[in-house]
Amino acid sequence: MFAGRNCNHIEFRPCQGDEINLLRELFVAAVMELTGGEYSLEQRRAWVSSAADKVEFCARMEAQQPFVAMLQDRIAGYADLQPDGLIDHFYVAPWAKGQRVASGMLQHIEKLAHSQGMTTIHALVSLTAEPFFLRKNFVVVERRIATRAGVTLPHALLQKDLTLKSTRESLPG
Ligand SMILES: CC(C)(COP(=O)(O)OP(=O)(O)OC[C@H]1O[C@@H](n2cnc3c(N)ncnc32)[C@H](O)[C@@H]1OP(=O)(O)O)[C@@H](O)C(=O)NCCC(=O)NCCS
């Protein structure tokens, strides 16, 4: 994982161990505050229940090794790229929404993927984030329904082919 800087002064660096609780708070805030248009309160509560166990969440983050996006010296978002090309977590803090943090995180992920020789990346994407990923040339592979705490959550598996000409040209040099 390498650090980098984009034109919006968003810096990327690996998450430090003592920051994992901040990621957990960011995850809960992003889901509860940004996805209300597509998911009911019951669905959002079920979604964030996956982070209710602090120890389990910390263990998962330590295994997945996310990176953080820093804007104005604060963690504005976090994401990861797993060895099989899966983006598991991809969340932007409500206060940073609309400031191209997600765009920067995806650009960073694509640089990482290219450096590791990956030709595709994929993600299980919320209905809220789906329009963002479609704008970034992902395609829907499959629509799915997850069950969390007995509540159903529709989402989709999206994939991006990194070998397409338009994708390669959009990467900074
Ligand atoms: C969806 C999300 C990732 C977008 O983050 P963001 O930092 O606000 O996005 P950006 O500022 O980089 O937006 C880039 C472009 O996508 C568009 N966009 C962003 N979110 C969008 C949405 N929900 N619907 C439609 N377009 C959207 C922006 O308008 C912008 O368009 P432009 O390039 O024409 O200017 C963020 O709002 C979020 O975390 N949402 C809630 C949690 C979630 O669903 N996470 C994903 C789990 S898979």
Side-chain angles (χ1 to χ4, degrees):
M1 196 76 66
F2 52 83
R5 194 180 184 109
N6 77 2
C7 58
N8 290 333
H9 305 292
I10 301 168
E11 291 186 347
F12 303 96
R13 59 163 174 75
C15 175
Q16 309 297 320
D18 60 358
E19 293 174 328
I20 290 178
N21 206 40
L22 294 175
L23 301 198
R24 189 170 158 273
E25 289 170 9
L26 192 159
F27 164 74
V28 172
V31 171
M32 293 306 293
E33 296 175 39
L34 298 180
T35 70
E38 296 74 30
Y39 297 93
S40 69
L41 183 59
E42 182 189 33
Q43 286 175 312
R44 284 176 279 147
R45 283 182 174 153
W47 186 349
V48 300
S49 71
S50 63
D53 184 333
K54 282 187 187 181
V55 175
E56 194 272 335
F57 185 86
C58 283
R60 190 147 39 106
M61 289 301 107
E62 275 168 16
Q64 291 176 345
Q65 299 194 349
F67 65 83
V68 293
M70 300 297 294
L71 178 64
Q72 298 156 12
D73 293 325
R74 294 171 69 190
I75 297 177
Y78 77 96
D80 63 75
L81 177 66
Q82 300 306 307
D84 63 353
L86 171 68
I87 303 166
D88 195 10
H89 276 218
F90 190 91
Y91 293 95
V92 172
W95 65 266
K97 184 188 169 193
Q99 297 187 57
R100 311 205 74 79
V101 173
S103 301
M105 294 200 308
L106 187 58
Q107 202 173 64
H108 187 66
I109 285 171
E110 291 184 21
K111 282 164 72 176
L112 290 171
H114 278 283
S115 73
Q116 293 171 30
M118 294 179 187
T119 54
T120 63
I121 51 177
H122 58 281
L124 291 167
V125 172
S126 69
L127 299 178
T128 308
E130 187 178 312
F132 165 80
F133 280 94
L134 293 177
R135 288 173 91 95
K136 303 296 182 184
N137 297 321
F138 279 73
V139 295
V140 176
V141 175
E142 187 178 37
R143 299 217 168 266
R144 295 183 180 178
I145 296 183
T147 303
R148 295 273 181 281
V151 178
T152 56
L153 293 162
H155 63 283
L157 172 64
L158 270 67
Q159 180 168 292
K160 180 167 183 174
D161 183 345
L162 299 177
T163 65
L164 294 178
K165 192 166 179 279
S166 60
T167 305
R168 291 201 311 268
E169 284 177 350
S170 69
L171 280 171

